[in-house]
């Protein structure tokens, strides 16, 4: 693990693969996640079994362009909303996810997408701004099966469940 972890409010399971130059700020990270190089996460809660490709930026401080100055140094009352990434989410390279957004279970965020609003579970979003282009599963039985997976289990336990 070669990540740079900032601030003391980090909760991180040891069962993650975190690439060099990943930066985590004030976040809670589940287990069995993969983080590519140059990922930045600020004030994020991330579930289990997520794949985060290189150069992804999630959350963080935003500038209020409606104020006299956009400099965050001049404003002590910065509001920081937590970004939530549920279980089994894949975020493609160079994606940007705005603070306060929720990415639903099993969703896919396409490479270089800019996510400005919540992403429903099992959706595939692409573009700038990101829009839902399709569902990950068309078959309701597959959606039910995916929803029934307990992503807090170990990989072996999930594989056993899926082979039943």
């Amino acid at each position: 693990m070669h990540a740079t972890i900032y601030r003391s409010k980090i909760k991180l399971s040891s069962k993650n693969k975190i690439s060099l130059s990943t930066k985590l700020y004030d976040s809670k990270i589940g287990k069995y996640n993969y983080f590519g190089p140059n990922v930045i996460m600020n004030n994020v809660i991330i579930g289990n079994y997520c794949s985060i490709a290189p150069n992804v930026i999630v959350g963080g401080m935003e500038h209020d362009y409606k104020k006299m100055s956009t400099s965050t140094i001049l404003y002590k009352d910065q509001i920081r909303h937590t970004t939530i990434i549920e279980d089994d989410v894949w975020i493609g390279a160079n994606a940007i996810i705005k603070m306060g957004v929720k990415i639903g279970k099993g969703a896919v965020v396409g490479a270089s997408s800019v996510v400005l609003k919540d992403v429903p579970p099992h959706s595939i979003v692409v573009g700038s701004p990101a829009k839902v282009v399709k569902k990950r599963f068309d078959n309701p039985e597959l959606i039910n099966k995916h929803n029934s997976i307990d992503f807090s289990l170990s990989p072996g336990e999930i594989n056993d469940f899926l082979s039943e």
Side-chain angles (χ1 to χ4, degrees), residues 16 27 35 37 82 112 117 127-129 164:
N16 291 292
S27 295
F35 298 87
T82 302
S112 299
K117 59 184 183 176
S128 178
E164 292 176 352

Side-chain angles (χ1 to χ4, degrees), residues 134-152:
K134 66 185 279 187
K135 290 291 187 181
R136 187 168 155 198
F137 306 113
D138 291 328
N139 182 331
E141 289 178 25
L142 291 177
I143 293 170
N144 290 336
K145 178 104 176 176
H146 188 267
N147 284 335
S148 69
I149 298 170
D150 180 355
F151 284 101
S152 68

